[in-house]
Amino acid sequence: MPKTLEGQITMEKTPSYFVTREAPARIYAMSRDTKLIVVVRDPVTRAISDYTQTLSKKPDIPTFDSLTFKNRTTGLIDTSWSAIQIGIYAKHLDNWLQFFPMSQILFVSGERLISDPAGELGRVQDFLGLKRIITDKHFYFNQTKGFPCLKKAEGSSKPHCLGKTKGRTHPNIDPEVVQRLRDFYRPFNMKFYQMTGRKFGWDD
């Protein structure tokens, strides 16, 4: 980490931290005052998105359905598949709460980042003790991508959108498989809502 002066905030982003068993202890050892921000989204959509990304790099991987189930007949979900495992947020959060209090962890809704980016970033600015300077006027909605984009990136006169790996069209997944996954995740989601004190609306 770079040296940080009084009044500065140093940020670093690594998606795999949240699901890496050793990460909480290591970060705590580095600085127990660290504030943690985690963007989460509906675990079913997340798993399909994860699969879509892998499929774009390895077109010959097995189907989503065959990777999802240990046994399709009994409907037993394969929790060893990382695309499924990552979405069991309550389990990962348990690991972090051994080291950090909930007051130092902010969960950002991936869905609300799209539907209300300024509102969700307002929560981030409050959490970091920053003045709310990011508002609706900083964004425009990109119809092609289906995402909000920054009207003007810092130090640039051009708008900034998420990269080409974001907003890919998902393959069609059997609705029965999607329903099985919804049923599988529901108890974990409920526990997660309880732990965070926030309903993310994935089971509505």
Side-chain angles (χ1 to χ4, degrees), residues 58-75:
K58 303 177 189 165
D60 54 347
I61 57 165
T63 64
F64 182 83
D65 304 16
S66 63
L67 290 166
T68 298
F69 298 104
K70 260 186 180 155
N71 183 324
R72 180 72 200 255
T73 318
T74 61

Side-chain angles (χ1 to χ4, degrees), residues 179-196:
Q179 192 52 54
R180 286 275 175 92
L181 277 175
R182 295 228 165 275
D183 296 340
F184 166 77
Y185 279 120
R186 191 169 293 108
F188 296 112
N189 290 346
M190 293 305 167
K191 188 183 176 200
F192 183 63
Y193 299 167
Q194 222 174 354
M195 293 166 89
T196 59

Side-chain angles (χ1 to χ4, degrees), residues 21-169:
R21 259 212 95 66
E22 304 78 17
R26 289 176 182 169
I27 293 172
Y28 184 83
M30 181 200 73
S31 169
R32 61 182 61 186
D33 299 322
T34 298
K35 286 187 169 184
L36 306 153
I37 301 172
V38 188
V39 179
V40 288
R41 65 193 286 208
D42 178 335
V44 178
T45 318
R46 207 217 68 80
I48 296 167
S49 182
D50 193 315
Y51 175 78
T52 307
Q53 187 155 345
T54 309
L55 189 64
S56 72
K57 296 174 193 157
K58 303 177 189 165
D60 54 347
I61 57 165
T63 64
F64 182 83
D65 304 16
S66 63
L67 290 166
T68 298
F69 298 104
K70 260 186 180 155
N71 183 324
R72 180 72 200 255
T73 318
T74 61
L76 186 66
I77 305 284
D78 187 357
T79 55
S80 69
W81 182 31
S82 67
I84 300 290
Q85 220 257 345
I86 290 169
I88 308 173
Y89 303 133
K91 182 182 141 206
H92 306 304
L93 178 53
D94 257 337
N95 191 26
W96 285 88
L97 291 175
Q98 313 294 314
F99 294 90
F100 293 94
M102 259 317 294
S103 59
Q104 279 174 239
I105 310 173
L106 178 72
F107 285 94
V108 172
S109 160
E111 288 80 12
R112 278 183 59 88
L113 264 185
I114 293 170
S115 64
D116 178 21
E120 205 60 5
L121 285 172
R123 293 179 65 243
V124 172
Q125 290 168 102
D126 293 348
F127 176 68
L128 295 174
L130 299 170
K131 205 166 79 184
R132 282 197 178 207
I133 56 165
I134 301 168
T135 63
D136 284 331
K137 69 172 191 286
H138 290 89
F139 298 96
Y140 74 95
F141 193 80
N142 183 312
Q143 294 293 347
T144 317
K145 280 199 149 314
F147 282 109
C149 300
L150 274 173
K151 280 186 180 160
K152 207 171 72 167
E154 191 72 35
S156 160
S157 56
K158 293 206 301 269
H160 178 73
C161 270
L162 292 170
K164 60 178 184 290
T165 62
K166 303 293 178 193
R168 282 198 191 98
T169 307

